[in-house]
PDB file of all heavy atoms in Angstrom:
ATOM      1  N   SER B 690      12.850 -19.546  15.035  1.00 97.00           N
ATOM      2  CA  SER B 690      13.244 -20.241  16.255  1.00 97.00           C
ATOM      3  C   SER B 690      12.007 -20.788  16.962  1.00 97.00           C
ATOM      4  O   SER B 690      10.889 -20.368  16.694  1.00 97.00           O
ATOM      5  CB  SER B 690      13.995 -19.286  17.193  1.00 97.00           C
ATOM      6  OG  SER B 690      15.091 -18.701  16.551  1.00 97.00           O
ATOM      7  N   SER B 691      12.258 -21.731  17.880  1.00 96.00           N
ATOM      8  CA  SER B 691      11.160 -22.332  18.659  1.00 96.00           C
ATOM      9  C   SER B 691       9.997 -22.710  17.746  1.00 96.00           C
ATOM     10  O   SER B 691       8.840 -22.367  17.994  1.00 96.00           O
ATOM     11  CB  SER B 691      10.683 -21.357  19.738  1.00 96.00           C
ATOM     12  OG  SER B 691      11.732 -20.984  20.596  1.00 96.00           O
ATOM     13  N   LEU B 692      10.335 -23.421  16.681  1.00 96.00           N
ATOM     14  CA  LEU B 692       9.332 -23.719  15.659  1.00 96.00           C
ATOM     15  C   LEU B 692       8.235 -24.638  16.176  1.00 96.00           C
ATOM     16  O   LEU B 692       8.465 -25.529  16.999  1.00 96.00           O
ATOM     17  CB  LEU B 692      10.014 -24.313  14.436  1.00 96.00           C
ATOM     18  CG  LEU B 692      10.701 -23.265  13.547  1.00 96.00           C
ATOM     19  CD1 LEU B 692      11.694 -23.912  12.599  1.00 96.00           C
ATOM     20  CD2 LEU B 692       9.668 -22.458  12.773  1.00 96.00           C
ATOM     21  N   ARG B 693       7.035 -24.396  15.685  1.00 96.00           N
ATOM     22  CA  ARG B 693       5.845 -25.156  16.049  1.00 96.00           C
ATOM     23  C   ARG B 693       5.248 -25.761  14.792  1.00 96.00           C
ATOM     24  O   ARG B 693       5.505 -25.272  13.684  1.00 96.00           O
ATOM     25  CB  ARG B 693       4.808 -24.229  16.690  1.00 96.00           C
ATOM     26  CG  ARG B 693       5.338 -23.370  17.823  1.00 96.00           C
ATOM     27  CD  ARG B 693       4.371 -22.238  18.133  1.00 96.00           C
ATOM     28  NE  ARG B 693       4.840 -21.388  19.226  1.00 96.00           N
ATOM     29  CZ  ARG B 693       4.347 -20.182  19.500  1.00 96.00           C
ATOM     30  NH1 ARG B 693       3.365 -19.676  18.756  1.00 96.00           N
ATOM     31  NH2 ARG B 693       4.829 -19.491  20.517  1.00 96.00           N
ATOM     32  N   SER B 694       4.411 -26.738  14.960  1.00 96.00           N
ATOM     33  CA  SER B 694       3.787 -27.380  13.790  1.00 96.00           C
ATOM     34  C   SER B 694       3.000 -26.359  12.966  1.00 96.00           C
ATOM     35  O   SER B 694       2.946 -26.456  11.736  1.00 96.00           O
ATOM     36  CB  SER B 694       2.888 -28.524  14.227  1.00 96.00           C
ATOM     37  OG  SER B 694       1.877 -28.066  15.117  1.00 96.00           O
ATOM     38  N   GLU B 695       2.415 -25.375  13.634  1.00 95.00           N
ATOM     39  CA  GLU B 695       1.620 -24.381  12.911  1.00 95.00           C
ATOM     40  C   GLU B 695       2.468 -23.395  12.104  1.00 95.00           C
ATOM     41  O   GLU B 695       1.921 -22.548  11.386  1.00 95.00           O
ATOM     42  CB  GLU B 695       0.690 -23.617  13.865  1.00 95.00           C
ATOM     43  CG  GLU B 695       1.378 -22.964  15.041  1.00 95.00           C
ATOM     44  CD  GLU B 695       1.353 -23.816  16.292  1.00 95.00           C
ATOM     45  OE1 GLU B 695       1.459 -25.070  16.181  1.00 95.00           O
ATOM     46  OE2 GLU B 695       1.242 -23.225  17.395  1.00 95.00           O
ATOM     47  N   ASP B 696       3.792 -23.489  12.226  1.00 97.00           N
ATOM     48  CA  ASP B 696       4.681 -22.675  11.390  1.00 97.00           C
ATOM     49  C   ASP B 696       4.948 -23.341  10.043  1.00 97.00           C
ATOM     50  O   ASP B 696       5.627 -22.758   9.183  1.00 97.00           O
ATOM     51  CB  ASP B 696       6.015 -22.416  12.099  1.00 97.00           C
ATOM     52  CG  ASP B 696       5.846 -21.587  13.368  1.00 97.00           C
ATOM     53  OD1 ASP B 696       5.056 -20.613  13.332  1.00 97.00           O
ATOM     54  OD2 ASP B 696       6.496 -21.917  14.373  1.00 97.00           O
ATOM     55  N   THR B 697       4.445 -24.548   9.862  1.00 98.00           N
ATOM     56  CA  THR B 697       4.588 -25.227   8.576  1.00 98.00           C
ATOM     57  C   THR B 697       3.914 -24.403   7.486  1.00 98.00           C
ATOM     58  O   THR B 697       2.717 -24.093   7.577  1.00 98.00           O
ATOM     59  CB  THR B 697       3.964 -26.630   8.631  1.00 98.00           C
ATOM     60  OG1 THR B 697       4.722 -27.437   9.535  1.00 98.00           O
ATOM     61  CG2 THR B 697       3.940 -27.276   7.250  1.00 98.00           C
ATOM     62  N   ALA B 698       4.687 -24.019   6.476  1.00 98.00           N
ATOM     63  CA  ALA B 698       4.165 -23.127   5.437  1.00 98.00           C
ATOM     64  C   ALA B 698       5.201 -22.951   4.331  1.00 98.00           C
ATOM     65  O   ALA B 698       6.376 -23.293   4.504  1.00 98.00           O
ATOM     66  CB  ALA B 698       3.837 -21.751   6.030  1.00 98.00           C
ATOM     67  N   VAL B 699       4.748 -22.422   3.218  1.00 98.00           N
ATOM     68  CA  VAL B 699       5.654 -21.876   2.217  1.00 98.00           C
ATOM     69  C   VAL B 699       5.953 -20.440   2.621  1.00 98.00           C
ATOM     70  O   VAL B 699       5.019 -19.672   2.887  1.00 98.00           O
ATOM     71  CB  VAL B 699       5.035 -21.925   0.814  1.00 98.00           C
ATOM     72  CG1 VAL B 699       5.958 -21.246  -0.200  1.00 98.00           C
ATOM     73  CG2 VAL B 699       4.770 -23.381   0.393  1.00 98.00           C
ATOM     74  N   TYR B 700       7.228 -20.105   2.694  1.00 98.00           N
ATOM     75  CA  TYR B 700       7.646 -18.764   3.076  1.00 98.00           C
ATOM     76  C   TYR B 700       8.132 -18.026   1.828  1.00 98.00           C
ATOM     77  O   TYR B 700       9.025 -18.509   1.122  1.00 98.00           O
ATOM     78  CB  TYR B 700       8.757 -18.828   4.133  1.00 98.00           C
ATOM     79  CG  TYR B 700       8.226 -19.219   5.495  1.00 98.00           C
ATOM     80  CD1 TYR B 700       7.858 -20.540   5.763  1.00 98.00           C
ATOM     81  CD2 TYR B 700       8.066 -18.279   6.501  1.00 98.00           C
ATOM     82  CE1 TYR B 700       7.341 -20.902   7.000  1.00 98.00           C
ATOM     83  CE2 TYR B 700       7.564 -18.624   7.745  1.00 98.00           C
ATOM     84  CZ  TYR B 700       7.192 -19.942   7.982  1.00 98.00           C
ATOM     85  OH  TYR B 700       6.683 -20.292   9.220  1.00 98.00           O
ATOM     86  N   TYR B 701       7.514 -16.874   1.572  1.00 98.00           N
ATOM     87  CA  TYR B 701       7.862 -16.039   0.434  1.00 98.00           C
ATOM     88  C   TYR B 701       8.592 -14.783   0.893  1.00 98.00           C
ATOM     89  O   TYR B 701       8.195 -14.176   1.894  1.00 98.00           O
ATOM     90  CB  TYR B 701       6.607 -15.573  -0.306  1.00 98.00           C
ATOM     91  CG  TYR B 701       5.746 -16.653  -0.907  1.00 98.00           C
ATOM     92  CD1 TYR B 701       4.642 -17.152  -0.223  1.00 98.00           C
ATOM     93  CD2 TYR B 701       6.014 -17.159  -2.179  1.00 98.00           C
ATOM     94  CE1 TYR B 701       3.832 -18.120  -0.775  1.00 98.00           C
ATOM     95  CE2 TYR B 701       5.208 -18.130  -2.737  1.00 98.00           C
ATOM     96  CZ  TYR B 701       4.120 -18.615  -2.027  1.00 98.00           C
ATOM     97  OH  TYR B 701       3.334 -19.582  -2.585  1.00 98.00           O
ATOM     98  N   CYS B 702       9.612 -14.387   0.150  1.00 98.00           N
ATOM     99  CA  CYS B 702      10.127 -13.038   0.342  1.00 98.00           C
ATOM    100  C   CYS B 702       9.514 -12.156  -0.734  1.00 98.00           C
ATOM    101  O   CYS B 702       9.142 -12.637  -1.817  1.00 98.00           O
ATOM    102  CB  CYS B 702      11.641 -12.982   0.311  1.00 98.00           C
ATOM    103  SG  CYS B 702      12.409 -13.345  -1.279  1.00 98.00           S
ATOM    104  N   ALA B 703       9.372 -10.884  -0.406  1.00 98.00           N
ATOM    105  CA  ALA B 703       8.739  -9.946  -1.337  1.00 98.00           C
ATOM    106  C   ALA B 703       9.357  -8.566  -1.178  1.00 98.00           C
ATOM    107  O   ALA B 703       9.729  -8.154  -0.081  1.00 98.00           O
ATOM    108  CB  ALA B 703       7.230  -9.881  -1.092  1.00 98.00           C
ATOM    109  N   LYS B 704       9.446  -7.863  -2.275  1.00 97.00           N
ATOM    110  CA  LYS B 704      10.009  -6.512  -2.304  1.00 97.00           C
ATOM    111  C   LYS B 704       8.909  -5.488  -2.054  1.00 97.00           C
ATOM    112  O   LYS B 704       7.811  -5.580  -2.600  1.00 97.00           O
ATOM    113  CB  LYS B 704      10.658  -6.280  -3.672  1.00 97.00           C
ATOM    114  CG  LYS B 704      11.102  -4.854  -3.952  1.00 97.00           C
ATOM    115  CD  LYS B 704      11.599  -4.712  -5.367  1.00 97.00           C
ATOM    116  CE  LYS B 704      11.728  -3.257  -5.781  1.00 97.00           C
ATOM    117  NZ  LYS B 704      10.417  -2.576  -5.864  1.00 97.00           N
ATOM    118  N   ASP B 705       9.200  -4.511  -1.228  1.00 96.00           N
ATOM    119  CA  ASP B 705       8.277  -3.399  -1.036  1.00 96.00           C
ATOM    120  C   ASP B 705       8.366  -2.440  -2.208  1.00 96.00           C
ATOM    121  O   ASP B 705       9.443  -2.198  -2.748  1.00 96.00           O
ATOM    122  CB  ASP B 705       8.627  -2.659   0.258  1.00 96.00           C
ATOM    123  CG  ASP B 705       7.528  -1.718   0.713  1.00 96.00           C
ATOM    124  OD1 ASP B 705       7.418  -0.623   0.139  1.00 96.00           O
ATOM    125  OD2 ASP B 705       6.779  -2.072   1.641  1.00 96.00           O
ATOM    126  N   ARG B 706       7.224  -1.879  -2.608  1.00 93.00           N
ATOM    127  CA  ARG B 706       7.190  -1.013  -3.766  1.00 93.00           C
ATOM    128  C   ARG B 706       7.815   0.355  -3.498  1.00 93.00           C
ATOM    129  O   ARG B 706       8.300   1.013  -4.423  1.00 93.00           O
ATOM    130  CB  ARG B 706       5.738  -0.820  -4.241  1.00 93.00           C
ATOM    131  CG  ARG B 706       5.607  -0.378  -5.674  1.00 93.00           C
ATOM    132  CD  ARG B 706       4.147  -0.309  -6.107  1.00 93.00           C
ATOM    133  NE  ARG B 706       4.046  -0.128  -7.533  1.00 93.00           N
ATOM    134  CZ  ARG B 706       4.247   1.025  -8.154  1.00 93.00           C
ATOM    135  NH1 ARG B 706       4.533   2.091  -7.446  1.00 93.00           N
ATOM    136  NH2 ARG B 706       4.153   1.110  -9.462  1.00 93.00           N
ATOM    137  N   GLY B 707       7.843   0.766  -2.249  1.00 88.00           N
ATOM    138  CA  GLY B 707       8.332   2.103  -1.932  1.00 88.00           C
ATOM    139  C   GLY B 707       9.845   2.164  -1.867  1.00 88.00           C
ATOM    140  O   GLY B 707      10.488   1.335  -1.223  1.00 88.00           O
TER     141      GLY B 707
END
Side-chain angles (χ1 to χ4, degrees):
Chain B
S690 305
S691 302
L692 282 163
R693 309 165 180 165
S694 58
E695 55 265 36
D696 296 318
T697 294
V699 175
Y700 286 75
Y701 298 96
C702 67
K704 171 186 166 293
D705 194 282
R706 201 176 191 283

